[in-house]
Amino acid sequence: MEAADVTHPKGEKKKEHAEEAKPAKDKKDKKENKEKSKEKKEKVGEATDTTKLRAKLEKIDAKIDDLKAKKQEIVARLLELEGDGTNAAAAAPASG
């Protein structure tokens, strides 16, 4: 029974080392992602096919339209909540 309770220091060192390696890996991944994004930006400048460029433009326009719609919904909800908040605040002192 005692042998099963004994922890192995070698296993602990491996775990500690693995935890230390994770931040370095994250930094490497971030650096690679930056490089990939730079490559994508360069590809847009290099693209000469008009149909591909038009397709990309339409895709971006669709995303912009979706974001504008979401913005309008958020603004409307915010105004609605702010309106309710001011009405409730005005009613509270009058009744108290």
Side-chain angles (χ1 to χ4, degrees):
M1 284 189 202
E2 292 177 14
D5 294 337
V6 176
T7 58
H8 296 286
K10 290 181 182 178
E12 290 176 9
K13 287 182 181 178
K14 288 181 182 178
K15 289 179 183 178
E16 290 173 6
H17 180 67
E19 290 173 5
E20 291 174 4
K22 287 181 182 178
K25 185 178 179 183
D26 291 340
K27 289 179 183 178
K28 186 181 274 188
D29 289 342
K30 288 180 182 179
K31 187 175 182 180
E32 290 176 2
N33 287 340
K34 283 184 181 180
E35 290 174 2
K36 288 179 182 179
S37 66
K38 286 181 182 178
E39 289 175 5
K40 286 181 182 180
K41 289 178 184 177
E42 291 174 3
K43 287 181 182 179
V44 171
E46 294 175 3
T48 56
D49 189 11
T50 58
T51 55
K52 288 182 181 179
L53 289 174
R54 289 195 190 279
K56 288 181 181 183
L57 186 61
E58 289 176 9
K59 187 176 178 181
I60 291 170
D61 284 340
K63 288 181 180 179
I64 290 171
D65 291 341
D66 290 342
L67 289 172
K68 284 181 179 179
K70 287 181 182 178
K71 180 183 176 182
Q72 288 177 346
E73 290 174 8
I74 291 170
V75 169
R77 180 74 176 143
L78 182 63
L79 291 174
E80 178 182 318
L81 291 172
E82 286 177 344
D84 289 345
T86 56
N87 290 340
S95 64

